[in-house]
Amino acid sequence: MTDRIRLAHTADLSPDELTAARALLDDAFEGDFADEDWDHGLGGMHVLIHDAAGLAAHGSVVMRRVRHAGRWLRTGYVEAVAVRADVRRTGLGGRVMAELERVIERAYDLGALAASEDGALLYTARGWRRWEGQVHALSPEHGIVRLRDDEGFVYVWPPTLAKALDPAGALVFDWRDGDVT
């Protein structure tokens, strides 16, 4: 059986597909994938790659608003990217990202994501640029709150827009549960 790739909205995924994606993420993140992390990856487009053993890779892109230099940008935010351990480093992560980037390119002003040091290698190889400026979120209780722990881990895409953004101007992300305490 050859790998099958599927692009589908959360609403079009079966309960079994959602359960398999969550299990893949729990395994890939070794138990460090919280319910809030899962929730952040829902409500948008998912890429699923299946092989003979089942779900081999997953990623999603969801809508977020990001303010930069006085303008709110419709942002495709990449979430929940994982590849099953036995097929890592075989190109599946790149295939997932290619589909997510296609969605971002056609539907959003900007792509953004937060990456671990290991994950950053995949994204930078694909042209994602690390955001060098400040990162904030718009909290319902505290207004604009700086997210110092996220700085240095946020990446933006496509490369042409990423280069045009001014790192002296902060990125202010819309609020979601789990981001601001």
Side-chain angles (χ1 to χ4, degrees):
M1 174 180 167
T2 60
D3 295 342
R4 290 181 296 117
I5 189 165
R6 180 169 184 226
L7 176 67
H9 191 276
T10 302
D12 295 322
L13 297 179
S14 71
D16 288 344
E17 288 174 307
L18 290 168
T19 298
R22 177 63 194 257
L24 173 69
L25 290 156
D26 286 338
D27 286 345
F29 287 92
E30 299 175 347
D32 193 25
F33 194 80
D35 289 342
E36 288 170 338
D37 298 322
W38 174 242
D39 188 57
H40 294 169
L42 300 175
M45 299 300 292
H46 297 256
V47 175
L48 302 100
I49 300 177
H50 290 86
D51 64 11
L55 183 61
H58 173 273
S60 65
V61 61
V62 298
M63 167 73 173
R64 293 193 71 185
R65 301 293 281 181
V66 176
R67 191 180 81 190
H68 178 71
R71 179 176 171 220
W72 285 97
L73 301 169
R74 192 177 58 256
T75 302
Y77 201 86
V78 174
E79 293 282 4
V81 175
V83 176
R84 201 176 62 228
D86 65 315
V87 290
R88 287 189 187 136
R89 308 281 185 252
T90 63
L92 294 181
R95 288 179 59 198
V96 166
M97 288 305 298
E99 277 298 299
L100 296 177
E101 289 161 359
R102 186 180 67 79
V103 170
I104 292 166
E105 185 173 64
R106 296 184 60 132
Y108 297 99
D109 300 319
L110 176 70
L113 58 83
S116 65
E117 288 181 29
D118 289 338
L121 299 173
L122 169 65
Y123 308 122
T124 57
R126 300 191 57 77
W128 288 74
R129 294 178 53 102
R130 189 172 80 153
W131 178 250
E132 299 294 339
Q134 292 182 5
V135 177
H136 297 80
L138 184 57
S139 165
E141 286 129 17
H142 307 291
I144 295 175
V145 177
R146 188 167 177 188
L147 303 176
R148 293 184 196 285
D149 290 347
D150 291 352
E151 292 175 358
F153 298 100
V154 172
Y155 291 77
V156 294
W157 189 87
T160 52
L161 180 57
K163 290 177 186 174
L165 298 176
D166 179 7
L171 295 180
V172 180
F173 288 89
D174 56 359
W175 176 85
R176 60 193 186 166
D177 289 336
D179 283 349
V180 179
T181 55

